[in-house]
Amino acid sequence: MSLPKDSITKDYTDVEATLSRITSHTGVQGIVIATHEGSVIRSTLDNIQTQQISTLVTQLAARGKSVVRDLDPEDDLTFLRIRSRKNEIMVAETKQYLLITIQNPNELQKGWI
Amino acid sequence: MAPTTVAAPNLFESFTPSATVDVPSTWRKVKDKRDGESQTAPIKLAENACQTITRAHIEIQTDPEPPLQFRLLHNYHRGTMVDFLAKVESMVSSQLLQNISSTAFDGWSAHWEEAVTSTTLLHTLFPPVREETDMLVTDLSWNKNGSTVGVAYGRFDHDSWCNHKGAVCTWSLAGRGVGDIPAWTVETESCVMSIAFHPENPSLIAGGGFNGQIFVAQTKDPKNDPIVAISKMSDITHQEPVAKVEWVPASKPGLYHIVSIGNDGKVLTWDLANDLAEPIFGSQLFMGAIPRHLRPSGTTRTETILGGTSIAFPSENPITYIVATEAGYIAKCSRSITTQLSADPSTPNATFQLPPPSQRMANPMQFAYTPHTGPVNAISCSPFHRNLFVSGGSDGLIRLYNVLQAKPLLTFSPSSLALYTSAFSPHRATVFAATSADGLLYIYDLAHSPSLPHTTLQVTSKSTVAATALAFSKGRNEYLATGDAAGIVKVWRVASGLASESVGREWRCVEALGGLLENDG
């Protein structure tokens, strides 16, 4: 950690601010930031859900990544969306990290129950 | 002297041949004979006993798997993290915003099960052979699992007192041989007018009789008396036929009270804790709360009792309920306007004084809706929206009301004859059904058409037999039961389109109807 201390604090607040911005979108149930190995960096979900999501979704994203690369070696997976009956799971990924967002797209319609 | 008689040969002397002639056989030979002896050795017997006398027990058990732990990474490069987040945030945010307003998946529903395109008959359940032959089905109720249907038998055409014996039967639809005989039967003193299965305990049934009695029966233990509790008749209980019984959640979770409404206008709350000895709360419907412009012309006394015919409880609203009356009025009532009629069974030490008869029954009505002409036979609240209910009247009209609005939102006139039932589907927010006096079942789907029935079916043998009871199964979404005036119950498999879970489009349709006035204030 060669960064000066105030820079670390600034980065930290930046991360938190970004996360809270994403969480505040309608229907967002939770966010997990993980590495490709399945380690979790930040999560807004409880331990059990975080465990499941980080391992399972990371595996699926890795699989998707290999499919995209096999089809075209110069291509790469950037975004993965899984639509289910209840939720939509979005995975944004870069070389190092994965941002997993879970959203209930029906929340607007069901907001009154 | 020589004898003179000649000795004659003796004629009667037996003649024996003096000699035999042996002719030796030319072919037979003398057999050889020889003596010999033999004996088996004596059988040896031996006895032996054996028994294992030692036992060994070994118990094994796997240890519970330790809960999976994820690895929380503390040391990572914060700079790249910020870069990463900055890079993906805009993308994720725009997708999240798009997603929530997207209609791309609307109307799309995956069909995991094979679709059934039409409503078909599954089982026909005949009434058990009894002394009272011409009994009709007065009410139907599914148990919590949706595998057992309870049937109440009684009659509607009483001139005065009921001399019939009523019955409650249950049929199990699981397993083979469905429909031959009821799984469980109990006879009652008078016609049973309404039954309701307990919402959590699949073996408890509450019922209301023509003589005003409320009873609770158990189907679990055939050795014991099926009737668990039965109410006594007194001047605070129902003195006219019970029109409807319902289980409603009590203050504690898992506890349920029984609410009954009778043709004497009384709405009584019962608790199993005091074995239905006395109702714990009561109120009575009077004409006084009906606005003057809804009353018939001429003088009507405000203390005229309105006979109740049905009761329904809006979802997620523990305070209000909707009542339907014989005079055609439909009113919203409050459970807080009620009189305590007996000591609370949960606090047995509290002393309780029954109020004098003049103050006994409060009038719970708060708000009256546009009335039907003629008795309202059924009302049902939407299980999906707290503001919606449907009513079915003897005038052949189905009306869809918003709880907050006196005028009906929609009126359907499927039949010129009386409607006996109407009920919302517990599975799809826009579906409700009704049955009529000519034996037709109408199933409406508001998402399909806001005016015409989706399905119309003849559920009785002929059009002169009325369909008198209807019940959607809560546990199995494809089951629907109808009962008719011949005492026959039919179980239908509802078309998949009418039973599938609600998706966005249905929600919006229901919300548009039910939320109308909420937005206006």
Side-chain angles (χ1 to χ4, degrees):
Chain A
M1 287 289 153
S2 58
L3 289 165
K5 201 178 178 217
D6 60 331
S7 168
I8 294 173
T9 346
K10 186 181 162 295
D11 286 350
Y12 185 72
T13 49
D14 270 4
V15 169
E16 291 304 309
T18 314
L19 286 180
S20 70
R21 273 202 300 278
I22 298 176
T23 320
S24 63
H25 280 291
T26 318
V28 173
Q29 314 279 311
I31 297 173
V32 178
I33 303 177
T35 63
H36 285 285
E37 291 77 46
S39 308
V40 177
I41 294 165
R42 280 283 282 120
S43 169
T44 61
L45 295 165
D46 62 46
N47 283 2
I48 297 164
Q49 279 183 306
T50 306
Q51 164 65 30
Q52 284 183 321
I53 296 229
S54 62
T55 46
L56 298 176
V57 177
T58 314
Q59 284 168 13
L60 183 64
R63 189 87 198 127
K65 194 189 194 75
S66 77
V67 168
V68 171
R69 281 206 180 148
D70 285 352
L71 289 173
D72 182 355
E74 288 166 25
D75 207 353
D76 208 345
L77 182 73
T78 58
F79 203 84
L80 177 70
R81 293 169 58 161
I82 303 156
R83 181 80 170 204
S84 68
R85 206 156 51 86
K86 291 180 183 166
N87 291 323
E88 176 143 338
I89 304 169
M90 300 180 191
V91 187
E93 64 167 77
T94 56
K95 215 172 219 139
Q96 276 178 301
Y97 305 114
L98 296 157
L99 173 68
I100 304 164
T101 314
I102 294 140
Q103 186 190 26
N104 173 10
N106 297 320
E107 184 152 300
L108 256 196
Q109 291 139 26
K110 287 200 200 175
W112 42 267
I113 25 168
Chain B
M1 190 165 123
T4 55
T5 54
V6 178
N10 191 356
L11 284 176
F12 300 102
E13 196 181 2
S14 65
F15 169 79
T16 44
S18 57
T20 55
V21 180
D22 277 335
V23 183
S25 169
T26 56
W27 53 271
R28 194 187 285 174
K29 283 179 184 154
V30 179
K31 284 183 179 167
D32 287 343
K33 280 182 189 165
R34 203 171 294 164
D35 281 336
E37 281 186 353
S38 79
Q39 192 178 17
T40 57
I43 297 170
K44 281 180 189 157
L45 292 175
E47 279 186 40
N48 226 337
C50 76
Q51 190 179 22
T52 57
I53 50 167
T54 53
R55 297 187 186 90
H57 283 289
I58 291 179
E59 289 182 355
I60 56 163
Q61 191 181 19
T62 52
D63 287 331
E65 207 173 314
L68 285 170
Q69 286 294 321
F70 55 87
R71 196 151 43 91
L72 198 60
L73 210 60
H74 291 289
N75 297 320
Y76 55 90
H77 198 259
R78 287 174 199 275
T80 55
M81 176 55 121
V82 172
D83 289 348
F84 161 69
L85 277 180
K87 197 169 146 192
V88 298
E89 188 200 352
S90 62
M91 185 159 63
V92 171
S93 290
S94 68
Q95 288 299 334
L96 285 171
L97 282 172
Q98 249 182 45
N99 225 4
I100 204 76
S101 56
S102 161
T103 53
F105 288 98
D106 280 13
W108 162 252
S109 55
H111 297 291
W112 307 113
E113 288 165 20
E114 203 174 326
V116 183
T117 49
S118 62
T119 302
T120 48
L121 180 64
L122 282 182
H123 305 292
T124 306
L125 312 172
F126 291 96
V129 182
R130 300 174 54 246
E131 290 159 34
E132 306 282 342
T133 47
D134 44 356
M135 301 298 264
L136 54 79
V137 178
T138 53
D139 202 5
L140 288 167
S141 179
W142 289 89
N143 78 347
K144 178 198 160 211
N145 308 339
S147 57
T148 300
V149 62
V151 185
Y153 293 99
R155 294 180 69 150
F156 286 148
D157 55 343
H158 293 92
D159 289 331
S160 56
W161 196 239
C162 168
N163 296 320
H164 315 109
K165 286 225 181 284
V168 178
C169 297
T170 66
W171 265 274
S172 172
L173 301 186
R176 287 189 294 174
V178 170
D180 301 342
I181 48 159
W184 175 89
T185 307
V186 64
E187 286 212 349
T188 54
E189 282 176 43
S190 69
C191 289
V192 185
M193 304 312 278
S194 174
I195 54 164
F197 262 106
H198 192 277
E200 282 177 14
N201 185 338
S203 63
L204 273 188
I205 311 178
F210 191 86
N211 58 4
Q213 280 187 327
I214 305 289
F215 60 87
V216 173
Q218 56 91 12
T219 64
K220 190 164 57 183
D221 188 354
K223 292 190 196 90
N224 288 348
D225 188 8
I227 301 288
V228 175
I230 188 158
S231 70
K232 297 180 186 70
M233 287 190 240
S234 73
D235 57 344
I236 56 170
T237 63
H238 291 295
Q239 292 177 319
E240 297 260 350
V242 177
K244 188 93 182 146
V245 288
E246 286 278 2
W247 294 88
V248 287
S251 48
K252 284 181 209 152
L255 272 184
Y256 287 85
H257 285 159
I258 300 167
V259 171
S260 63
I261 187 168
N263 292 158
D264 52 0
K266 282 178 188 160
V267 180
L268 301 176
T269 308
W270 308 78
D271 194 336
L272 258 183
N274 66 359
D275 285 341
L276 307 182
E278 279 164 329
I280 51 172
F281 293 108
S283 41
Q284 198 163 17
L285 311 171
F286 294 104
M287 184 65 107
I290 303 292
R292 202 165 288 277
H293 68 272
L294 295 178
R295 295 186 208 167
S297 55
T299 51
T300 44
R301 287 147 49 95
T302 55
E303 63 268 31
T304 308
I305 288 170
L306 293 170
T309 53
S310 190
I311 190 164
F313 296 86
S315 58
E316 304 147 48
N317 191 336
I319 300 299
T320 59
Y321 57 90
I322 316 284
V323 294
T325 63
E326 284 172 335
Y329 300 111
I330 300 169
K332 182 171 84 175
C333 301
S334 170
R335 288 177 75 184
S336 54
I337 308 175
T338 184
T339 319
Q340 194 171 359
L341 294 175
S342 67
D344 192 346
S346 56
T347 54
N349 296 329
T351 50
F352 174 74
Q353 188 74 45
L354 190 70
S358 57
Q359 307 164 12
R360 256 180 216 174
M361 299 286 187
N363 186 0
M365 289 193 186
Q366 288 187 313
F367 186 73
Y369 302 95
T370 310
H372 281 263
T373 40
V376 183
N377 288 326
I379 48 172
S380 168
C381 284
S382 168
F384 292 93
H385 199 290
R386 61 177 179 274
N387 281 354
L388 289 178
F389 70 94
V390 287
S391 65
S394 311
D395 49 1
L397 298 180
I398 306 170
R399 285 180 174 157
L400 178 71
Y401 288 92
N402 185 317
V403 168
L404 306 170
Q405 199 177 353
K407 288 209 173 83
L409 296 169
L410 295 167
T411 300
F412 309 88
S413 53
S415 169
S416 56
L417 295 165
L419 297 174
Y420 278 102
T421 62
S422 65
F424 260 110
S425 161
H427 302 287
R428 193 174 161 91
T430 50
V431 169
F432 59 88
T435 59
S436 67
D438 51 358
L440 290 174
L441 163 72
Y442 305 94
I443 307 177
Y444 285 86
D445 186 353
L446 295 173
H448 170 257
S449 161
S451 56
L452 292 172
H454 179 283
T455 305
T456 306
L457 272 176
Q458 179 79 41
V459 294
T460 56
S461 51
K462 49 184 186 286
S463 64
T464 51
V465 179
T468 52
L470 164 77
F472 281 99
S473 168
K474 280 197 180 66
R476 298 280 300 270
N477 62 351
E478 71 269 29
Y479 281 180
L480 169 71
T482 58
D484 65 23
I488 295 168
V489 174
K490 289 183 178 174
V491 178
W492 303 84
R493 181 193 293 278
V494 176
S496 308
L498 293 173
S500 60
E501 254 179 76
S502 303
V503 285
R505 184 154 161 263
E506 285 81 40
W507 288 118
R508 247 168 280 153
C509 179
V510 171
E511 194 193 9
L513 288 166
L516 210 73
L517 277 185
E518 281 186 323
N519 300 340
D520 299 346

